[in-house]
Amino acid sequence: MYGGDSDSDGADDERGGRGVKRGRAAADDLDDLEDIGNDDLADDEDEDTEFKVDAHTTRVWLVKVPKFLADKWNDVGARNPGSQLGTLKVNKAMSKATLHVPETPWSATVPKNYNLEFTNMHPQNVYVFSESAMGKAVGVVGTVQHEATVMPIIDDEYQRIMKRRTNDASTSSRVVKRMDDRSAESKRLLASSGDSWNASLEGFQKKKGTGTLDKRERMPRNELLDTLFALFAEYKYWNFKGLVDRTQQPQSWLKEVLNELCVLNKRGPYNGMYELKPEFMTSGSAAADATGVAPGGSG
């Protein structure tokens, strides 16, 4: 699997310059393929462009990959055409396939190992087209033989990269500037903020005692992620109260991290219960094998 304009068969990641379309039900010969292409070229500036169908017998795979991986591949392909993007391993029975990204400087920020699951072994009338700069189909690149989806394998490296990415995203980019209290601007700001400060203090005094303050100490994000992964390896479904009890974290902080990691069921038998998002449920992981509802949990 290589970046750039490689003609070798493999997983098509829908890079720029290519498009995927499902042909008409009766598209069994070149005449129908030409009709499909002419429809797309009707509004093209260059109406004399010949729609090429020479490669219609080329067999390709249509593979959906995570956005972060597609973006990385697009960047590498644009900067270094011909670079190796990964290695695809498929057993003889076509029952198991894995994708492995090479250990290179450009891949340092993406997971290296993925499962490839076939979603349609025999798609009908699905073609990959090359496109002009105007986004119009100008030729057939190949006929889709298989459709599949790539999901990362949740191994130690994957969790390490995801934690680092989450921590980087949560790092504030705002800078605190210390002002000289003798400057004219500082005096002006202090004078104008006096009334607001008094009003805020009065409002705080009025509200004091009307609510409860969650004094639990926030766990670092990476440690909380570790804790949550371990809990969801025990049981597939958790309610919020159960997670608060087990993690002993402030509710607002726990909910923020859960929103990144989990799906909250809003209907059905598990209404009100959290479960891990599909991308964290790769086959073979401890979380994927978990079943049942945590004790005390109810929809």
Side-chain angles (χ1 to χ4, degrees), residues 71-84:
D71 290 343
K72 181 64 69 174
W73 278 352
N74 284 332
D75 180 58
V76 173
R79 290 187 292 106
N80 300 300
S83 297
Q84 183 178 358

Side-chain angles (χ1 to χ4, degrees), residues 18-198:
R18 293 185 180 182
V20 179
K21 293 184 181 293
R22 299 185 182 271
R24 297 169 184 170
D28 294 324
D29 53 32
L30 294 183
D31 292 336
D32 284 332
L33 282 175
E34 289 174 347
D35 289 342
I36 296 171
N38 290 333
D39 288 343
D40 290 333
L41 288 169
D43 298 326
D44 204 328
E45 291 182 353
D46 186 3
E47 295 182 356
D48 295 329
T49 300
E50 179 182 357
F51 187 78
K52 299 179 180 180
V53 296
D54 299 343
H56 77 283
T57 57
T58 301
R59 296 179 299 175
V60 299
W61 292 9
L62 176 60
V63 180
K64 295 181 179 180
V65 302
K67 186 177 184 301
F68 64 83
L69 182 59
D71 290 343
K72 181 64 69 174
W73 278 352
N74 284 332
D75 180 58
V76 173
R79 290 187 292 106
N80 300 300
S83 297
Q84 183 178 358
L85 301 179
T87 302
L88 188 62
K89 298 181 179 180
V90 186
N91 65 1
K92 291 183 179 180
M94 297 286 287
S95 59
K96 183 178 181 180
T98 55
L99 170 67
H100 305 277
V101 174
E103 291 280 356
T104 60
W106 65 259
S107 67
T109 58
V110 297
K112 305 299 185 296
N113 302 308
Y114 302 80
N115 282 323
L116 185 144
E117 297 183 3
F118 292 102
T119 56
N120 190 346
M121 293 298 292
H122 304 289
Q124 299 295 315
N125 304 321
V126 184
Y127 311 96
V128 178
F129 294 86
S130 57
E131 298 177 343
S132 68
M134 299 295 293
K136 301 296 182 180
V138 295
V140 177
V141 174
T143 301
V144 176
Q145 183 184 22
H146 305 304
E147 294 182 7
T149 299
V150 162
M151 295 292 288
I153 296 175
I154 304 179
D155 50 19
D156 292 340
E157 181 191 42
Y158 175 85
Q159 294 192 18
R160 175 178 56 80
I161 291 175
M162 291 298 104
K163 289 174 188 174
R164 183 173 62 190
R165 182 179 300 173
T166 302
N167 289 334
D168 290 344
S170 65
T171 301
S172 176
S173 59
R174 289 177 290 183
V175 178
V176 177
K177 180 181 179 181
R178 184 179 181 86
M179 298 180 62
D180 185 351
D181 57 8
R182 294 171 296 178
S183 67
E185 183 180 4
S186 176
K187 292 178 180 179
R188 181 181 63 80
L189 289 173
L190 288 172
S192 62
S193 64
D195 292 340
S196 298
W197 168 257
N198 290 333

